[in-house]
Amino acid sequence: HPRCGEPADGERRPPLASGAAQVAAAHCGAGGDSASAARTMMAAALAEKPPPLEVLFELASLREVALRVPTCKQHAHSASQLRAVLRRVDPACEPLRSQDGSNFPVLSIHQYQELLPRLHALAREGVFDFKLLPAIPLQAHTHMPALVPDGDVERAFASIPSELRRTLLQFQVDGVKFALRRQGRVLFADEMGVGKTLQAIA
């Protein structure tokens, strides 16, 4: 599955058990006290395995993706694995060190896409629980048009009829130029009654 890393046919793959759990499982067919001891060993071994490390990816800006990961001693090995993967994509990746995720690295959209196959491989191991970007916002950001140079924006703004330009307040001028710089692909979300329609017409 492109989002969660599960097989496309919907069949879930069980995570690999620890060595102790595998040994216990080998004795589960035994009878009496041996079977009971084996079940106890397996339960203890599985209880030692920490839950998957949750890694949240979110848009940090128009063209960047940030990671939010709670780091703790329980997940020190998992964080180390993730750090190694990130540094293959970006050698300058800063350490994963903050409790609230505020210092986690920021990747470009291109780096994030390069990272996806490795994330899916890690997810199948059951060590990580990746919360990836939804497909639609990612597509929108991937296909975002290039920004129009400042000189072209100023020339386009100057071509607006002077009668209309003179009626624009400064925040509306900023809004119109913002739209021109992005080839008109914007959403005006000002308060009601402050001139969104006028900006759009301009």
Side-chain angles (χ1 to χ4, degrees):
H1 190 283
R3 290 282 306 282
C4 65
E6 292 294 338
D9 59 7
E11 180 182 351
R12 299 185 66 83
R13 294 173 182 157
L16 293 176
S18 65
Q22 292 174 0
V23 171
H27 294 282
C28 277
D33 293 339
S34 296
S36 176
R39 284 193 293 271
T40 302
M41 285 175 60
M42 179 176 287
L46 293 176
E48 294 173 0
K49 183 179 179 181
L53 175 61
E54 184 174 290
V55 181
L56 172 65
F57 290 87
E58 57 187 21
L59 290 171
S61 70
L62 291 175
R63 299 177 190 275
E64 294 177 318
V65 180
L67 282 75
R68 305 293 177 200
V69 188
T71 57
C72 59
K73 290 182 180 179
Q74 186 183 30
H75 290 114
H77 179 66
S78 299
S80 178
Q81 279 185 284
L82 182 59
R83 186 184 304 116
V85 170
L86 290 173
R87 282 183 172 158
R88 288 180 206 151
V89 176
D90 180 9
C93 175
E94 64 179 276
L96 310 183
R97 60 175 181 269
S98 68
Q99 289 292 334
D100 62 358
S102 59
N103 290 330
F104 273 72
V106 174
L107 305 172
S108 68
I109 291 287
H110 175 74
Q111 288 173 327
Y112 172 78
Q113 291 175 310
E114 184 181 342
L115 188 64
L116 280 177
R118 295 170 185 172
L119 296 180
H120 292 318
L122 287 174
R124 285 193 290 270
E125 296 176 8
V127 179
F128 296 95
D129 178 15
F130 292 114
K131 308 296 184 185
L132 303 177
L133 293 179
I136 292 177
L138 181 59
Q139 289 172 4
H141 283 73
T142 303
H143 298 94
M144 187 176 295
L147 297 180
V148 175
D150 290 345
D152 292 343
V153 170
E154 293 301 327
R155 281 188 288 274
F157 184 77
S159 70
I160 298 171
S162 58
E163 295 84 354
L164 179 54
R165 282 203 319 271
R166 284 196 297 267
T167 65
L168 297 174
L169 300 174
Q170 185 56 51
F171 80 89
Q172 293 173 313
V173 170
D174 294 341
V176 170
K177 290 183 178 180
F178 184 93
L180 291 172
R181 186 166 285 110
R182 288 154 182 81
Q183 303 182 36
R185 293 187 60 180
V186 297
L187 173 65
F188 288 120
D190 296 331
E191 293 292 339
M192 184 171 60
V194 296
K196 295 184 294 295
T197 301
L198 193 59
Q199 292 178 72
I201 292 171

